[in-house]
Amino acid sequence: QLQPVESGGGLVQAGGSLRLSCAASIPDFKNYAMGWFRQAPGEEREFVAAIGWAAINTYYADSVKGRFTISRDNARNTVYLQMNSLKPEDTGVYYCAVETSLLRVRQDPQNWGQGTQVTVSS
């Protein structure tokens, strides 16, 4: 069962930073693509960022480009989302997803964590 576990959410003022972590107890973690999504109250869940198994390929939603950075540490089975210059519209539950391919984790992930709340105050 591929179920990652997110951590690192919290309350931060606009302009501040947070780093989210996602740990996955998966054999051969390095062979999996990882992604971050978020869901604001009353909204659909949306793609935020994704990273391939070798960390060479990364993708971002236009709304977070230049502010968020996705990275991974395969030795720790963990993927990170560094979020800088946070805005109130970044508020939501952030979910980690894991899949066997970068395309699938971006478009149709099936394996989700429970989510971590991020709240950005103005």
Side-chain angles (χ1 to χ4, degrees):
Q1 185 95 17
L2 304 180
Q3 184 165 19
V5 178
E6 305 93 337
S7 61
L11 174 64
V12 64
Q13 287 190 328
S17 298
L18 278 175
R19 189 176 81 155
L20 305 183
S21 299
C22 171
S25 298
I26 308 170
D28 297 324
F29 171 82
K30 63 182 183 299
N31 293 331
Y32 289 85
M34 306 292 293
W36 286 99
F37 291 71
R38 67 187 180 190
Q39 186 168 21
E43 301 289 332
E44 301 260 330
R45 188 152 49 185
E46 64 175 2
F47 169 77
V48 174
I51 188 166
W53 63 273
I56 296 173
N57 296 316
T58 56
Y59 296 88
Y60 297 93
D62 288 343
S63 59
V64 306
K65 279 181 183 175
R67 299 188 299 122
F68 290 11
T69 302
I70 189 170
S71 62
R72 65 190 295 159
D73 184 341
N74 287 338
R76 298 180 186 273
N77 281 24
T78 301
V79 65
Y80 303 98
L81 186 68
Q82 178 67 44
M83 305 186 295
N84 299 328
S85 302
L86 282 161
K87 305 175 182 179
E89 51 264 44
D90 294 318
T91 293
V93 179
Y94 282 68
Y95 296 91
C96 181
V98 55
E99 284 294 344
T100 54
S101 75
L102 192 53
L103 180 64
R104 186 159 187 178
V105 82
R106 291 173 63 194
Q107 296 185 353
D108 185 32
Q110 301 296 308
N111 304 296
W112 298 95
Q114 296 299 307
T116 185
Q117 177 70 44
V118 172
T119 303
V120 185
S121 62
S122 56

